[in-house]
Amino acid sequence: MSYRIAMALATVSIAVLALLRIADTYSVFNHTYDEAFHIAAGMQWLDQGRYDAEPFHPPMRSVYAVGPRLLGSHSFGEPSLRREGQRILYEGGDYKRVLTAARIAALPFFLLALAVVGVWAARISGPSAALAAMLAYSMLPLALANAGWLLPTR
């Protein structure tokens, strides 16, 4: 097996193992306080075409409502963003399915961060350092938590 193929397999293995570790938490943890806000704000943008419910985060956060929307969840028009998010989670179908669909949207951002770490380390110290840096990043509790929950970035 060539060196490049071995490095590619190692990179893919690190990413897949990290994604499995993240996804394994979906059935363990209920939603956090902020997750309902992000889902509700995103659903407002998807359903109503406006994004004024949560001015603290950019509309990119609406990506967390795409999964629940594909499962049939919708906006309820609640005046309270927290209550709106809770209704989407609890009344939008199976709670765990809706929450998992929302959390899956964070995985591409984790993969992007993992790739940036790998490229950065490779440019500084080569491919072996890139693998070591990616492995270290894929085990950081903060990185795993941010990829597993819809945590705020402020």
Side-chain angles (χ1 to χ4, degrees), residues 78-98:
E78 289 282 340
S80 163
L81 196 59
R82 180 173 185 254
R83 179 73 182 126
E84 175 78 6
Q86 288 176 338
R87 284 193 68 188
I88 292 168
L89 285 170
Y90 289 107
E91 297 176 26
D94 179 39
Y95 169 79
K96 288 290 185 185
R97 275 188 70 211
V98 173

Side-chain angles (χ1 to χ4, degrees), residues 131-145:
L131 280 180
M134 289 172 59
L135 182 63
Y137 181 78
S138 74
M139 292 189 286
L140 285 174
L142 185 59
L144 295 173

Side-chain angles (χ1 to χ4, degrees), residues 3-128:
Y3 178 74
R4 290 185 138 216
I5 293 174
M7 293 300 277
L9 284 175
T11 301
V12 169
S13 298
I14 289 170
V16 167
L17 287 174
L19 292 177
L20 289 173
R21 291 177 65 205
I22 293 165
D24 192 41
T25 65
Y26 291 165
S27 63
V28 177
F29 298 112
N30 290 330
H31 70 281
T32 62
Y33 182 78
D34 284 351
E35 285 179 304
F37 290 95
H38 298 310
I39 294 168
M43 196 64 73
Q44 179 195 44
W45 197 28
L46 292 175
D47 279 357
Q48 301 168 17
R50 58 189 180 90
Y51 193 85
D52 57 5
E54 188 184 31
F56 302 112
H57 296 99
M60 183 190 76
R61 282 290 198 193
S62 65
V63 72
Y64 299 120
V66 171
R69 185 73 178 109
L70 291 173
L71 290 177
S73 296
H74 57 83
S75 182
F76 290 93
E78 289 282 340
S80 163
L81 196 59
R82 180 173 185 254
R83 179 73 182 126
E84 175 78 6
Q86 288 176 338
R87 284 193 68 188
I88 292 168
L89 285 170
Y90 289 107
E91 297 176 26
D94 179 39
Y95 169 79
K96 288 290 185 185
R97 275 188 70 211
V98 173
L99 183 59
T100 297
R103 287 179 172 173
I104 284 174
L107 296 180
F109 298 110
F110 174 79
L111 291 175
L112 178 63
L114 192 65
V116 168
V117 166
V119 168
W120 193 4
R123 286 187 179 190
I124 293 171
S125 298
S128 297

